[in-house]
Amino acid sequence: VQLQASGGGLVQAGGSLRLSCAASGRTFSRQTMGWFRHAPGKDREFVATIWRTGYSTYYSDSVKGRFTISRDNAKNTLYLQMNSLKPEDTAVYYCAADIRGSMILSSIRREGSYDAWGQGTLVTVSS
């Protein structure tokens, strides 16, 4: 499985961006997918996860209510709609996949629970 993230860019505070993550392979619909981000000087952190069925989503407290994770299994694509962006959202955003299909709820925020990672896309929010 290969993941290709795109959609990052420079936006003013309060603006919006939509990130996309295109996945190769025929097992996308069976994979729980997530977004993480890595800001300068900080550890990579969990942003959001969507269950393989698409019916369940989970968010970090810092983005809840502003970001929406979604997926289109017919297009093998994961999305992250980011609204009301803040300067502290500035980071490289990575998509990740649970290829083995073994994700459990208590592990969705752990990097080690994901087997494949995209190359990252930079989001910069100016104040």
Side-chain angles (χ1 to χ4, degrees):
V1 173
Q2 290 187 323
L3 305 176
Q4 182 74 35
S6 61
L10 174 64
V11 63
Q12 288 189 330
S16 298
L17 278 176
R18 188 176 81 155
L19 305 184
S20 299
C21 176
S24 64
R26 294 178 287 181
T27 60
F28 179 78
S29 63
R30 299 198 294 270
Q31 299 166 2
T32 295
M33 301 292 296
W35 287 99
F36 287 73
R37 66 186 182 185
H38 191 184
K42 296 184 178 180
D43 293 332
R44 188 156 59 180
E45 66 172 352
F46 167 79
V47 174
T49 286
I50 185 166
W51 212 248
R52 58 185 74 88
T53 61
Y55 294 131
S56 297
T57 57
Y58 306 90
Y59 299 90
S60 67
D61 289 343
S62 61
V63 307
K64 194 176 298 181
R66 300 187 298 120
F67 290 11
T68 302
I69 188 172
S70 61
R71 66 192 298 162
D72 185 335
N73 286 343
K75 295 182 178 179
N76 277 18
T77 303
L78 174 74
Y79 302 100
L80 185 67
Q81 178 66 44
M82 305 185 295
N83 298 329
S84 302
L85 282 162
K86 306 175 181 179
E88 51 263 44
D89 294 318
T90 294
V92 177
Y93 284 73
Y94 297 89
C95 54
D98 164 39
I99 298 175
R100 291 169 291 178
S102 59
M103 184 71 71
I104 58 176
L105 186 57
S106 60
S107 299
I108 61 173
R109 291 173 171 79
R110 300 176 190 170
E111 292 184 43
S113 299
Y114 299 82
D115 312 296
W117 293 80
Q119 84 290 0
T121 185
L122 176 62
V123 173
T124 303
V125 184
S126 63
S127 57

